[in-house]
Amino acid sequence: MIWNKTNECMSEDERRSLQGKRLHKVVDHVYHNVPFYRNALQEVDITPGDINDIEDITKLPFTVKQNLRDNYPFGLQAVPQSEIIRVHASSGTTGNPTIVGYTRSDIAVWSECMSRCLTSYGVGRNDIFSVAYGYGLFTGGLGVHYGVENMGASVLPVSTGNTEKHIRLLKDLGVTGIACTPSYALHLAETMESMGIVKDKIKLRTGVFGAEPWTENMRHEIEERLGVKAYNLYGLSEIMGPCVSYECECQNGSHINEDHFYPEIIDPVTLKPLPDGQVGELVFTTLTKEGMPMLRYRTRDLCSITRGKCSCGRTSVRMGKILGRSDDMLIIRGINVFPSQVESVILGMPECAPRFLLIVDRINNLDTLTVQVEVRQEYFAQGFDTFEPIMELEKKIAARLKSVLSISARVQVKAPNTLDRSEGKSIFVIDNRILK
């Protein structure tokens, strides 16, 4: 199903013409209303009159998260406070929180784009949809909530917490769809199993997952244990929130709502544009956002993009799966290591549960990597109460990790349900080197 055929299936020429007009308008908007952008454009000798089509986007300067923190709280806001009807914010654990203001038009665009996402997953007016992202300053909960309501389905605003009550509501209300982080989906499955509820007793058929990286192995795990078809949802608060891109039934990349969010792929070192199909850093420019527009915002997410009409009928550009981040890439003894590489190894081993933690340290001036991973309950019950099978599994995991990472890692196999659980974004990495 397609929510908005006019915008999701327009020709390349039509889309680029629309993008060019909207780019000129947003540059003019920030030039006259945001001192930070006016100064940044003047530094590169650019005025709104120099931006006439979408190809001119490469003339514009980049925006990074630190710019938002440096202009905390409202320095990047492009409209009077009287026009801002909602404010979201990041946690601010590494500095000032990122404050994002939305106008009434921004909320309408957000709801429209989220409705496109949900429709592509097969959600319709007769569905009951549980939103298990956190509500509040995090954009996930309210972002999906408004999209569900906009398309006419029933929303269950369960948020996070009280997982057993959530499961009861899924069962008693006949909930057919759910949106949450992939790690929480697995926590949900674990809790169901501990309660003796099998997946056939619930009516879930659609799972919408995002807000943290996940692999194909994790997708299959969720589908098998919850009995759903699992789809990817991508977004970030600086650009809008969940709705920036979405998978269709073909699941051959995620369609970007590029009439509102223009994507680029750049080399994170040289900052030069990269050709389609090549992995680089994803950059977005908001084309219609009023409250806090972003010019060439560096997401730090690493992926590739593909153009061409999809079998589903949509013509929008598709982004590949996020392969890591340019800013949380771990450099260990000169080797680039991404948590997603470790996850792919762990989830490819039947003995391992989809729970892991990477601990990076520096001992005697040498970087060390420790990987903690839970064993599945069914394997744990088959003799993992003695040291020998644990040691054998640790050696097996370590060997596979070394073949993928090209460095050695110490592996610690843990009993089931011993690593910390999270109902929000999970923490996969502890880097103690930054504390020393």
Side-chain angles (χ1 to χ4, degrees):
M1 297 185 290
I2 298 176
W3 174 258
N4 187 331
K5 288 188 178 182
T6 299
N7 290 76
E8 296 179 75
C9 304
M10 66 174 61
S11 70
E12 181 70 13
D13 289 343
E14 289 175 319
R15 181 174 287 112
R16 296 189 75 80
S17 175
L18 178 64
Q19 290 169 334
K21 292 174 183 176
R22 289 181 169 178
L23 179 63
H24 172 81
K25 184 176 180 180
V26 74
V27 171
D28 185 74
H29 181 47
V30 298
Y31 188 87
H32 290 101
N33 293 288
V34 183
F36 166 79
Y37 275 126
R38 182 164 57 251
N39 294 335
L41 290 166
Q42 288 176 347
E43 285 180 4
V44 293
D45 197 26
I46 293 294
T47 68
D50 297 313
I51 308 300
N52 299 304
D53 53 48
I54 196 63
E55 284 76 17
D56 291 329
I57 199 167
T58 56
K59 300 176 182 178
L60 301 175
F62 292 101
T63 308
V64 296
K65 185 181 283 288
Q66 191 60 44
N67 298 143
L68 280 72
R69 291 179 172 145
D70 291 344
N71 287 276
Y72 175 87
F74 300 122
L76 294 185
Q77 197 164 283
V79 298
Q81 191 63 39
S82 60
E83 296 184 27
I84 297 294
I85 67 168
R86 192 195 297 172
V87 174
H88 283 283
S90 70
S91 61
T93 53
T94 56
N96 286 332
T98 299
I99 301 294
V100 184
Y102 298 78
T103 66
R104 193 170 301 278
S105 174
D106 294 336
I107 297 298
V109 168
W110 192 357
S111 300
E112 155 70 18
C113 290
M114 192 63 231
S115 294
R116 297 181 189 180
C117 304
L118 292 162
T119 303
S120 76
Y121 307 140
V123 178
R125 292 175 59 87
N126 294 322
D127 282 295
I128 302 176
F129 202 89
S130 172
V131 179
Y133 285 122
Y135 279 66
L137 293 177
F138 175 57
T139 57
L142 286 171
V144 178
H145 181 119
Y146 272 59
V148 175
E149 287 189 342
N150 185 61
M151 67 177 301
S154 300
V155 62
L156 181 66
V158 70
S159 190
T160 58
N162 203 338
T163 302
E164 290 189 6
K165 181 178 181 180
H166 186 183
I167 292 170
R168 179 180 177 181
L169 290 172
L170 295 179
K171 180 174 176 287
D172 293 349
L173 302 184
V175 174
T176 52
I178 186 172
C180 61
T181 62
S183 57
Y184 180 66
L186 290 172
H187 175 60
L188 199 68
E190 289 175 349
T191 306
M192 281 177 52
E193 291 160 5
S194 69
M195 294 170 64
I197 297 177
V198 296
K199 62 185 178 182
D200 293 340
K201 294 296 183 180
I202 60 174
K203 295 183 179 180
L204 279 180
R205 60 178 178 80
T206 303
V208 179
F209 308 111
E212 63 187 23
W214 57 308
T215 63
E216 286 302 307
N217 285 333
M218 200 168 187
R219 186 203 297 269
H220 299 322
E221 173 95 5
I222 292 169
E223 290 181 335
E224 173 60 28
R225 295 177 73 176
L226 284 182
V228 300
K229 182 68 175 175
Y231 294 93
N232 190 54
L233 174 65
Y234 175 85
L236 57 166
S237 59
E238 296 88 346
I239 300 304
M240 184 63 85
C243 80
V244 175
S245 75
Y246 56 95
E247 285 185 314
C248 64
E249 65 268 24
C250 302
Q251 294 187 313
N252 185 24
S254 295
H255 293 273
I256 296 173
N257 283 308
E258 58 172 323
D259 51 331
H260 296 286
F261 319 112
Y262 184 77
E264 300 174 82
I265 298 292
I266 64 167
D267 184 308
V269 177
T270 67
L271 305 184
K272 299 297 183 183
L274 293 174
D276 293 349
Q278 191 165 333
V279 174
E281 183 179 336
L282 181 61
V283 172
F284 278 112
T285 296
T286 61
L287 298 178
T288 56
K289 201 172 183 185
E290 295 178 340
M292 201 181 82
M294 288 282 105
L295 300 184
R296 304 191 82 192
Y297 181 76
R298 295 183 60 186
T299 69
R300 304 294 183 176
D301 288 330
L302 299 174
C303 68
S304 62
I305 60 175
T306 303
R307 299 184 193 275
K309 187 175 181 179
C310 180
S311 299
C312 71
R314 295 173 179 86
T315 56
S316 50
V317 67
R318 284 161 285 151
M319 57 182 278
K321 205 162 190 65
I322 301 298
L323 301 177
R325 285 180 56 83
S326 62
D327 59 350
D328 71 359
M329 175 180 70
L330 299 168
I331 302 178
I332 304 174
R333 299 197 292 276
I335 302 295
N336 296 343
V337 175
F338 291 100
S340 58
Q341 294 175 297
V342 177
E343 185 179 47
S344 66
V345 170
I346 291 170
L347 294 183
M349 303 183 68
E351 304 94 334
C352 299
R355 301 288 181 184
F356 71 95
L357 176 67
L358 277 62
I359 302 174
V360 187
D361 214 328
R362 182 164 289 147
I363 301 174
N364 296 326
N365 297 316
L366 180 67
D367 288 346
T368 64
L369 172 62
T370 300
V371 179
Q372 296 182 348
V373 57
E374 286 185 11
V375 68
R376 289 187 185 276
Q377 182 65 51
E378 57 266 35
Y379 285 91
F380 185 77
Q382 295 175 9
F384 275 84
D385 54 344
T386 60
F387 285 114
E388 186 173 345
I390 292 176
M391 292 177 62
E392 287 299 318
L393 180 56
E394 287 176 344
K395 289 179 182 179
K396 183 178 177 182
I397 297 171
R400 294 196 182 183
L401 286 172
K402 186 172 184 179
S403 69
V404 172
L405 304 179
S406 299
I407 62 169
S408 298
R410 180 190 178 195
V411 175
Q412 296 176 339
V413 169
K414 299 291 186 179
N417 304 313
T418 53
L419 293 181
D420 288 342
R421 263 55 174 166
S422 171
E423 294 182 341
K425 290 188 180 183
S426 294
I427 297 174
F428 300 109
V429 179
I430 297 176
D431 193 342
N432 291 320
R433 295 174 300 179
I434 63 176
L435 304 178
K436 298 179 179 181

